[in-house]
Amino acid sequence: MSWVEKATVLLVAIGCVNSMYFDCRRIGQECANGTPCDPDTGICVCDAAHQGHDCGLDITAIVTTGPEVCDPPCEMASICQKVGSQSKCYCADDAYYGAACENRRAVATCSGDAITITIVPYPAFSGLVYIKDNRTDTSCAFTGTTDPVTGILQYEASLAFNSDCSILKTPDQPAIGDAIYDAEVIIQNSPSFETSLDIVVKATCVHMNSGIATVSNDVGSVAVDQRANLTEDQTMTTYEPVLFAVQKANGMAIIPPLYIGTPLRLYFPMADTRKYTSLLLLSCDALNGPDAPQPVRVRLVDNGCPTADGISVMKGGIVYDNIVPSAIVYFSLFRFSNSPVISFECNVKVCEPSDVTCAPPQCNAQPGSVRRRRSAISGGSSAEIVLKETLTVLDPSDKIVVPVVPSNELPKKNVETVDQENQVQQEKCFQSEGIVVIIVILVVAVVLLFVVTMCLTVRFIKSKSQVKVIETPTPMTAERMIRIPRLNF
């Protein structure tokens, strides 16, 4: 790898990455390869052969191709380098860690009624991790654990929105009926002192008036700590109380290709029961693909009950499982005549334990006749979620169609028709299991016969080359002597 190529890799990987979790002025964080630390900026002063936030990347040891490239591949703009006899990923962005730099140091997971925050400080760390203004509150404390294999130190805390752990709630934002929950975590570098080198991690859970929660990475303009210019980090996640999957009728994952008539099921399981504990499938539509000349939408489920169109493809009604709260719709796969692509768009309502509006309705068994039900949202105790899934459906009866042509063109077209029919017959012949087995056996026999013949030929030639014929003159004996008669004159 040339120096120009290595410089290009460095510009792409670390040229625009700002150090967030590493500061060589912090306790336990030192510059690598003997490079000095700038006491004013906390940035390592790297020499010509090294780069990175801690000067830990050896430019001459970068590996981009070949058998020594890192496995698994490096992620998040990290760089593979040779360290001793091994290849390791160098995390150019210090906000990530792991064998492939695939893990983020600050992760927030938002559920229905709480937020779980995980912090992995930059090593070596001997300080404190706590919720702002709750350093000594044991109910808001983080639990630190060390992985016995990797030695990675991790802190985690699960905080309920209604707890006393300084979870800030802003009602009617960003819209009327919404609520924003803010949590701020302090990563204190020193076990004894608060300094300007500490880090604040902020996570914001936004609960919309529909009851769906998301996490925003928008950092507010209000100072999160009395100490000025603290390094800030934020995480992002999405709260999904209900999942949606199209599966085989037995619950296994589908494997393309899919054909008309294949028994499948629509599966709607609850992913989180901490806030919502029950669900109701309000409606479900089938749509044709975007490539269709005209859009088509057919309602299969309406107000919690199958419609006439739904009954024609569904196998039974909607099945609800109370053990693992979920809704299941069994059906035979179908498609629209103008498109091989079909999409399902379903509206699911989720309810809290005190809300009884998620009880399944009484559906009339007659096709097209359902008992209408008002699907209102009762304050913040229920929510409606729209879920979508798309499939490509094939018709097993699709075959070559031979057009009808005038008699004067029949000879020419007839040749093409015969060729098409022969092609179809050949494909069917080669697809026959018995024919395939016979062909495999014949091929194996021919290969074995060829190998045996070659071995015998080589052995014969080798034996001929080793035989030497030695002819020894036979001594003349009396029996072998021939007497020539002499003529007497």
Side-chain angles (χ1 to χ4, degrees), residues 398-410:
D398 287 343
K399 59 180 65 176
I400 298 176
V401 179
V402 181
V404 178
V405 296
S407 58
N408 57 347
E409 297 182 7
L410 186 58

Side-chain angles (χ1 to χ4, degrees), residues 178-216:
D178 297 345
I180 296 179
Y181 298 91
D182 289 328
E184 296 175 355
V185 182
I186 303 297
I187 304 178
Q188 183 175 308
N189 175 248
S190 170
S192 305
F193 307 107
E194 295 180 356
T195 69
S196 60
L197 300 179
D198 297 342
I199 302 173
V200 59
V201 177
K202 180 178 180 180
T204 302
C205 285
V206 180
H207 275 246
M208 311 301 291
N209 57 0
S210 62
I212 300 178
T214 58
V215 171
S216 170

Side-chain angles (χ1 to χ4, degrees), residues 27 62 125 133 149 153 178 230 285 310 369 428 458:
I27 300 175
I62 296 177
F125 181 76
D133 300 329
V149 178
L153 176 61
D178 297 345
L230 281 184
D285 295 344
S369 176
K428 290 182 178 180
V458 172

Side-chain angles (χ1 to χ4, degrees), residues 187-414:
I187 304 178
Q188 183 175 308
N189 175 248
S190 170
S192 305
F193 307 107
E194 295 180 356
T195 69
S196 60
L197 300 179
D198 297 342
I199 302 173
V200 59
V201 177
K202 180 178 180 180
T204 302
C205 285
V206 180
H207 275 246
M208 311 301 291
N209 57 0
S210 62
I212 300 178
T214 58
V215 171
S216 170
N217 62 351
D218 185 21
V219 179
S221 58
V222 180
V224 297
D225 199 278
Q226 288 76 14
R227 292 161 286 168
N229 299 324
L230 281 184
T231 302
E232 294 184 356
D233 188 18
Q234 57 277 331
T235 63
M236 182 175 62
T237 186
T238 301
Y239 172 57
E240 297 178 347
V242 180
L243 304 179
F244 179 28
V246 181
Q247 304 173 335
K248 294 181 179 180
N250 59 2
M252 301 297 290
I254 57 176
I255 301 177
L258 299 175
Y259 295 96
I260 294 176
T262 302
L264 299 178
R265 72 175 190 175
L266 306 179
Y267 185 48
F268 306 89
M270 293 284 293
D272 173 33
T273 58
R274 298 179 62 175
K275 180 176 183 179
Y276 304 108
T277 57
S278 60
L279 75 165
L280 174 66
L281 180 59
L282 288 176
S283 64
C284 199
D285 295 344
L287 300 83
N288 58 352
D291 58 338
Q294 292 183 350
V296 178
R297 177 187 288 264
V298 176
R299 178 142 295 190
L300 306 178
V301 177
D302 189 25
N303 291 292
C305 294
T307 63
D309 293 317
I311 292 176
S312 65
V313 295
M314 293 171 58
K315 296 183 178 180
I318 303 173
V319 179
Y320 290 93
D321 186 353
N322 294 325
I323 299 177
V324 179
S326 58
I328 306 174
V329 176
Y330 294 92
F331 70 104
S332 296
L333 188 56
F334 60 95
R335 74 177 188 185
F336 295 97
S337 58
N338 59 0
S339 174
V341 178
I342 183 171
S343 299
F344 296 96
E345 184 175 306
C346 303
N347 190 2
V348 179
K349 182 178 182 179
V350 292
C351 298
E352 295 183 7
S354 59
D355 193 340
V356 297
T357 60
C358 280
Q362 298 295 325
C363 301
N364 195 315
Q366 295 297 325
S369 176
V370 298
R371 180 181 176 183
R372 297 294 175 181
R373 178 190 182 98
R374 183 171 62 92
S375 57
I377 300 177
S378 57
S381 62
S382 64
E384 292 186 14
I385 303 102
V386 178
L387 305 169
K388 299 180 181 180
E389 191 67 74
T390 301
L391 301 173
T392 299
V393 186
L394 303 179
D395 188 347
S397 63
D398 287 343
K399 59 180 65 176
I400 298 176
V401 179
V402 181
V404 178
V405 296
S407 58
N408 57 347
E409 297 182 7
L410 186 58
K412 180 180 178 180
K413 294 293 183 178
N414 190 36

